[in-house]
Amino acid sequence: MSAPTNNLVRVFTEDELKARKTDVVDKLTRRFGSLERALEREEDWDYDEDEATLFSEYHAVTFLLSD
């Protein structure tokens, strides 16, 4: 039997966050042509669930990396 994981906290290094941001930006760029176009599309509220997940992760990682 494994221990419950609902009380665990995952700590990310700055390098891990930067790598994840790069990955998410690459995915958004492939999907929309550029990060700027992706963010414009987000403002239109015209995106699917997968894109919503990418937008959410982009903003979360950007926030965590901000000074």
Side-chain angles (χ1 to χ4, degrees), residues 7-65:
N7 290 325
L8 294 179
V9 174
R10 171 74 164 96
V11 176
F12 296 94
T13 66
E14 185 174 353
D15 287 341
E16 288 173 315
L17 291 172
K18 286 179 179 178
R20 187 60 196 147
K21 181 178 179 183
T22 297
D23 185 47
V24 170
V25 168
D26 288 348
K27 288 178 182 179
L28 287 168
T29 299
R30 278 195 304 275
R31 192 171 284 228
F32 295 102
S34 71
L35 178 60
E36 292 74 23
R37 288 183 67 199
L39 296 175
E40 288 171 1
R41 175 83 173 264
E42 181 188 26
E43 288 179 2
D44 293 339
W45 293 89
D46 181 24
Y47 46 85
D48 63 29
E49 188 174 327
D50 291 336
E51 293 163 344
T53 300
L54 288 172
F55 290 135
S56 178
E57 190 164 357
Y58 170 78
H59 292 296
V61 172
T62 301
F63 172 78
L64 291 171
L65 287 170

